[in-house]
Amino acid sequence: MGRTQRAKHTLDQLKSTIDTPETELDHRNPYELLVAVILSAQCTDERVNMVTPDLFDAFPTVQDLANADPDDIHPFISSVTFPNNKSKYLAKMGRQVVENFGGVIPESVDELQTLTGVGRKTAQVVANVAYDVDALPVDTHVFRVSNRIGLVKENADTPAKVERQLKRVIPKSDWGAAHHLLILHGRYTCTARSPNCGACPVIDICKYYERLERLPDPVDGLDPSHGAYYCKTRDHYFDDPSVHIDRNDIEQVACPRCGSMNVFKTDTGETTKTVKDYRVNG
């Protein structure tokens, strides 16, 4: 299956299982959305939604935010990540919107990126959600899910590369929906640490799941008292493993005696082998 077909199948399946593919950040207008997205950097939407009601009561318009100092803003956002930096970003962003854009949140991605605290991903989210601009922002969920399923090539190791490759295989009219569908799938099903593959609607085409299925079956009857690890190739136990790099550039536990990576944990009987996974690294 080619990547274009894979992308179409993925979106069709996700649309059938995700009722409302939209942002989970509470907002009533572009100003509130922009503030919420800035606050959501390395923070959960749930936490942001807990602080924004009081924040917007105190600063209901961008003009009110522009008139505030970071010290005025900080108490309202102290429970989100990096509150010191974000309170400074919000105060300066408010002044920039008032001074440079007449108090109106700009619509274009390029203009949004001139604001303090607004990178490409934030600008695309605001432009797409608030103004229906065609955009496909790539956050950590979109990055992980796109790579796991195989919607992008193996060399897509940065958000920018993932964005470019997704845009080649997904119609422009579907970019916004694809962004939300992939985020929600990554947030609730294809999670970073323990993906719920049994509930995944695209398990039949997922390259990550295919690799998981190729891992060796557990070995029964191992005795942890003989050692923490068992080498099936040489049929012996050991405690201090070596580390080898496999053909996919993944560090794997290896037998210190023979170098085999056919190693199992004696307490569970499960293989020590891992498959390639994906984290944002740039």
Side-chain angles (χ1 to χ4, degrees), residues 7 38 51 86 96 103 118 120 165 167 186 216 221 232 236-237 251 263 266 268-269:
I38 290 173
V51 306
K86 289 178 181 178
Q96 290 170 328
V118 179
R120 180 168 176 80
Q165 292 188 23
K167 285 180 173 178
K232 191 173 181 181
H236 76 99
Y237 292 86
E251 285 191 356
V263 175
T266 56
T268 64

Side-chain angles (χ1 to χ4, degrees), residues 68-176:
D69 292 323
D71 289 344
D72 300 323
I73 299 169
H74 187 277
F76 295 96
I77 65 169
S78 59
S79 64
V80 305
T81 55
F82 311 111
N84 292 336
N85 288 338
K86 289 178 181 178
S87 59
K88 294 174 185 176
Y89 294 162
L90 292 180
K92 189 169 183 180
M93 178 275 289
R95 292 194 295 273
Q96 290 170 328
V97 171
V98 170
E99 294 170 3
N100 301 334
F101 299 101
V104 178
I105 304 300
E107 297 185 17
S108 76
V109 171
D110 288 343
E111 289 179 328
L112 283 162
Q113 284 187 267
T114 67
L115 303 175
T116 298
V118 179
R120 180 168 176 80
K121 185 201 77 174
T122 295
Q124 289 195 94
V125 170
V126 174
N128 174 254
V129 175
Y131 298 117
D132 203 27
V133 173
D134 291 321
L136 211 170
V138 174
D139 73 347
T140 182
H141 299 299
V142 176
F143 181 90
R144 179 179 66 256
V145 169
S146 299
N147 271 288
R148 280 182 176 174
I149 295 173
L151 304 182
V152 294
K153 299 176 182 177
E154 287 292 328
N155 68 349
D157 56 359
T158 68
K161 290 180 181 178
V162 169
E163 179 187 337
R164 286 195 296 270
Q165 292 188 23
L166 286 178
K167 285 180 173 178
R168 294 190 189 115
V169 297
I170 297 173
K172 191 173 185 179
S173 58
D174 289 336
W175 287 356

Side-chain angles (χ1 to χ4, degrees), residues 9-248:
H9 179 79
T10 297
L11 296 186
D12 286 345
Q13 293 301 111
L14 293 182
K15 287 175 184 176
S16 71
T17 58
I18 298 174
D19 294 333
T20 311
E22 61 186 20
T23 182
E24 294 185 313
L25 290 169
D26 295 336
H27 67 283
R28 295 168 293 189
N29 52 56
Y31 158 65
E32 291 187 357
L33 176 64
L34 176 55
V35 170
V37 177
I38 290 173
L39 291 177
S40 72
Q42 295 179 275
C43 189
T44 65
D45 288 1
E46 181 181 14
R47 169 57 56 183
V48 172
N49 289 339
M50 292 173 64
V51 306
T52 49
D54 288 343
L55 177 67
F56 294 143
D57 281 345
F59 309 103
T61 69
V62 70
Q63 181 67 63
D64 295 309
L65 195 67
N67 293 335
D69 292 323
D71 289 344
D72 300 323
I73 299 169
H74 187 277
F76 295 96
I77 65 169
S78 59
S79 64
V80 305
T81 55
F82 311 111
N84 292 336
N85 288 338
K86 289 178 181 178
S87 59
K88 294 174 185 176
Y89 294 162
L90 292 180
K92 189 169 183 180
M93 178 275 289
R95 292 194 295 273
Q96 290 170 328
V97 171
V98 170
E99 294 170 3
N100 301 334
F101 299 101
V104 178
I105 304 300
E107 297 185 17
S108 76
V109 171
D110 288 343
E111 289 179 328
L112 283 162
Q113 284 187 267
T114 67
L115 303 175
T116 298
V118 179
R120 180 168 176 80
K121 185 201 77 174
T122 295
Q124 289 195 94
V125 170
V126 174
N128 174 254
V129 175
Y131 298 117
D132 203 27
V133 173
D134 291 321
L136 211 170
V138 174
D139 73 347
T140 182
H141 299 299
V142 176
F143 181 90
R144 179 179 66 256
V145 169
S146 299
N147 271 288
R148 280 182 176 174
I149 295 173
L151 304 182
V152 294
K153 299 176 182 177
E154 287 292 328
N155 68 349
D157 56 359
T158 68
K161 290 180 181 178
V162 169
E163 179 187 337
R164 286 195 296 270
Q165 292 188 23
L166 286 178
K167 285 180 173 178
R168 294 190 189 115
V169 297
I170 297 173
K172 191 173 185 179
S173 58
D174 289 336
W175 287 356
H179 164 72
H180 293 299
L181 288 167
L182 294 173
I183 280 183
L184 295 172
H185 183 58
R187 184 172 291 164
Y188 296 112
T189 304
C190 192
T191 54
R193 293 186 179 179
S194 301
N196 185 6
C197 296
C200 177
V202 294
I203 194 173
D204 58 322
I205 63 160
C206 179
K207 291 189 174 182
Y208 178 76
Y209 181 74
E210 181 183 336
R211 291 168 182 152
L212 288 178
E213 286 294 285
R214 291 202 299 262
L215 291 175
D217 293 331
V219 174
D220 296 327
L222 298 180
D223 187 350
S225 68
H226 292 172
Y229 300 96
Y230 171 74
C231 173
K232 191 173 181 181
T233 302
R234 293 289 295 270
D235 187 26
H236 76 99
Y237 292 86
F238 59 93
D239 284 312
D240 299 316
S242 297
V243 175
H244 284 191
I245 306 297
D246 69 13
R247 60 186 178 183
N248 295 311

